[in-house]
Amino acid sequence: MSLGEQRDFRLFWTAETVSGFGSYVTTLAIQVLVVVTLHESAAGVGLVNAARFLPYLVLGLVVGVLVDRVRRRPILVATDLGRGLLLVAIPLLAMADQLTLALLVVFMVAFGTLSLLNDSASQSFVPRLVPRPLLTRANARLDQSDAVAQTSGPALAGGLVALLSAPWAVLVDAASFLASALLVARTRVAEPPSRSVDLRSMRQVPTELREGLRWVYRHRTLTPFAIGTHIWFLFNAMAGAALPVFALRQLDLGALGFGLLLALAGVGAVVGSSYAERLGNAFGAGRVSIACIVGNAVAWALVASSPGDSVLTWAVFGAGQLLLGVSMGAENANTMGYRQSVTPDELQGRMNTTMRSINRAMVVVGAPLGGLLADSVGLRPVLYVAAAGFLLVAAGLALTPFRDARIPQETSVANPNDE
């Protein structure tokens, strides 16, 4: 059984690669825009980061129910087109000298709403594209493409920002979303007919929502993993709010230098995702995930300890980014494949959106918190706190049944109490 035989997955894989490439350009461009163009502090970075994920907190659980009711391909196409149009507006407003932090926050809320719909449909679409034994391999391929985008995207973004300015760099992402929409529209996956979403049927939403929550939070192995992931996102958001200010102002790396060093995480992710399936088969998804979270902690500690000296700064900061990429690349394919493999198709949307929504809710809390703490106690302390938080998550998961989690190879979905 080979992924090469899965035509529709190849199209989807290409679409995700293209849009992922553009997204890494925008991620760095928006951070530079906030810090350099709008002259905001870490608190401003945290506010913009939180705005992007606020819809996950407010609408996430309901979106999961809706995604399980309708065909997923049309959602992917429509949301890609919508995000592309939104991004086109940013350079136009900047050109008219009308772009402010408040307006950027509004745009990020709208962008986040479309991303919420796309993410829920995307993660739930993969199990319809490939058979269960290929899920880890499929997710590893997606991670590898994302890693390649992560390698070149920030470096290109740094160059584009230096050449064109941050607002205009986001046009690359707008074009990538258009290309992604066209590729996904060409897939020929036979999806179940959409169920009714009229007012009468919507009365079942609370019941269906509870079904999704029960699946995630009463499952013997998914539950500890979900809770651990929520805490991971809290600390990661805190570090993410402090990082651009730390790199651009305290270390004085510049947009291009910052982008080049972030690209090392992509190099590491290529390596990590290339070995993800092999590691998962040898040690199990649970053990691989726990080891990789320890790697996250070490990586952030290295970044936080970057000295002011120019040569050592690049070496230590770069080593931290490289290790971060390796650990995240090896972890994501295993945990994503695991949670997809143990969840029935009719619950995929609710499972994915439940976990992702609470994860993003942690970003809504953690990003402003990290920014405020960085402004008050310093940038390095916040990065060290995040590293310590990742260690706590790894230690907690090691004490739960999740440490023995493996992706089942049979075609039936396991009972949550049999894991």
Side-chain angles (χ1 to χ4, degrees):
M1 193 179 303
S2 169
L3 279 179
E5 301 170 0
Q6 313 295 318
R7 170 195 175 272
D8 294 302
F9 175 76
R10 294 198 308 271
L11 285 170
F12 177 75
W13 181 16
T14 305
E16 291 289 291
T17 301
V18 171
S19 65
F21 182 92
S23 294
Y24 279 108
V25 173
T26 291
T27 297
L28 186 137
I30 291 295
Q31 291 176 342
V32 175
L33 190 156
V34 173
V35 176
V36 177
T37 305
L38 300 180
H39 307 290
E40 296 290 338
S41 66
V45 176
L47 185 61
V48 171
N49 289 348
R52 179 174 178 176
F53 297 113
L54 180 63
Y56 291 82
L57 173 62
V58 178
L59 303 170
L61 297 180
V62 174
V63 165
V65 175
L66 296 178
V67 167
D68 279 336
R69 284 174 169 263
V70 299
R71 293 185 299 123
R72 292 157 190 173
R73 185 179 63 174
I75 295 176
L76 295 173
V77 174
T79 52
D80 274 345
L81 293 174
R83 288 186 292 180
L85 291 174
L86 273 175
L87 290 178
V88 168
I90 291 178
L92 295 179
L93 287 168
M95 185 172 60
D97 199 25
Q98 297 297 313
L99 189 62
T100 64
L101 182 67
L103 195 54
L104 187 60
V105 165
V106 172
F107 268 90
M108 288 298 101
V109 170
F111 185 88
T113 301
L114 294 173
S115 295
L116 163 63
L117 286 160
N118 187 276
D119 289 343
S120 180
S122 175
Q123 292 181 346
S124 306
F125 195 52
V126 175
R128 290 182 175 176
L129 294 171
V130 299
R132 178 168 302 166
L134 292 179
L135 279 174
T136 299
R137 192 176 306 170
N139 282 292
R141 295 296 177 270
L142 291 168
D143 286 347
Q144 287 167 352
S145 296
D146 183 72
V148 171
Q150 187 179 1
T151 301
S152 51
L156 175 62
L160 288 173
V161 168
L163 181 65
L164 303 174
S165 79
W168 288 101
V170 303
L171 285 179
V172 173
D173 199 11
S176 76
F177 281 126
L178 174 61
S180 176
L182 294 175
L183 286 165
V184 173
R186 291 183 57 203
T187 60
R188 299 191 300 242
V189 178
E191 296 195 85
S194 297
R195 294 159 54 198
S196 175
V197 290
D198 59 23
L199 182 61
R200 180 178 178 182
S201 69
M202 293 303 287
R203 295 173 185 171
Q204 298 300 316
V205 167
T207 300
E208 294 177 20
L209 192 152
R210 286 193 295 270
E211 289 175 354
L213 289 170
R214 279 197 300 268
W215 179 261
V216 173
Y217 294 112
R218 290 187 181 179
H219 196 287
R220 185 168 178 266
T221 49
L222 273 186
T223 298
F225 168 66
I227 294 172
T229 304
H230 301 336
I231 300 171
W232 185 96
F233 268 86
L234 175 69
F235 287 109
N236 193 65
M238 293 174 62
L243 182 64
V245 183
F246 180 64
L248 294 169
R249 291 185 182 165
Q250 189 160 329
L251 299 182
D252 196 26
L253 293 174
L256 181 58
F258 186 32
L260 289 172
L261 287 173
L262 288 182
L264 289 176
V267 175
V270 171
V271 176
S273 57
S274 296
Y275 287 93
E277 184 179 14
R278 196 176 308 174
L279 290 169
N281 290 338
F283 303 104
R287 286 183 170 83
V288 171
S289 175
I290 292 167
C292 288
I293 295 172
V294 174
N296 297 165
V298 176
W300 278 109
L302 280 171
V303 171
S305 62
S306 301
D309 179 86
S310 59
V311 176
L312 283 178
T313 297
W314 283 68
V316 177
F317 194 107
Q321 289 297 309
L322 187 67
L323 177 58
L324 186 65
V326 170
S327 55
M328 293 182 68
E331 183 267 346
N332 188 66
N334 278 286
T335 53
M336 185 66 70
Y338 175 72
R339 71 194 225 195
Q340 289 170 342
S341 69
V342 298
T343 302
D345 180 77
E346 64 271 15
L347 283 168
Q348 287 283 343
R350 279 168 283 177
M351 178 276 294
N352 285 314
T353 310
T354 294
M355 294 185 64
R356 184 171 282 260
S357 296
I358 305 302
N359 289 343
R360 295 323 190 249
M362 295 298 102
V363 177
V364 174
V365 174
L369 176 62
L372 291 172
L373 285 176
D375 288 342
S376 60
V377 304
L379 298 162
R380 290 186 195 271
V382 171
L383 298 177
Y384 280 122
V385 166
F390 294 138
L391 282 179
L392 289 175
V393 171
L397 287 175
L399 298 175
T400 72
F402 177 71
R403 67 180 178 273
D404 298 319
R406 284 183 173 271
I407 296 177
Q409 296 301 306
E410 68 275 6
T411 57
S412 62
V413 174
N415 184 290
N417 296 317
D418 293 337
E419 290 296 319

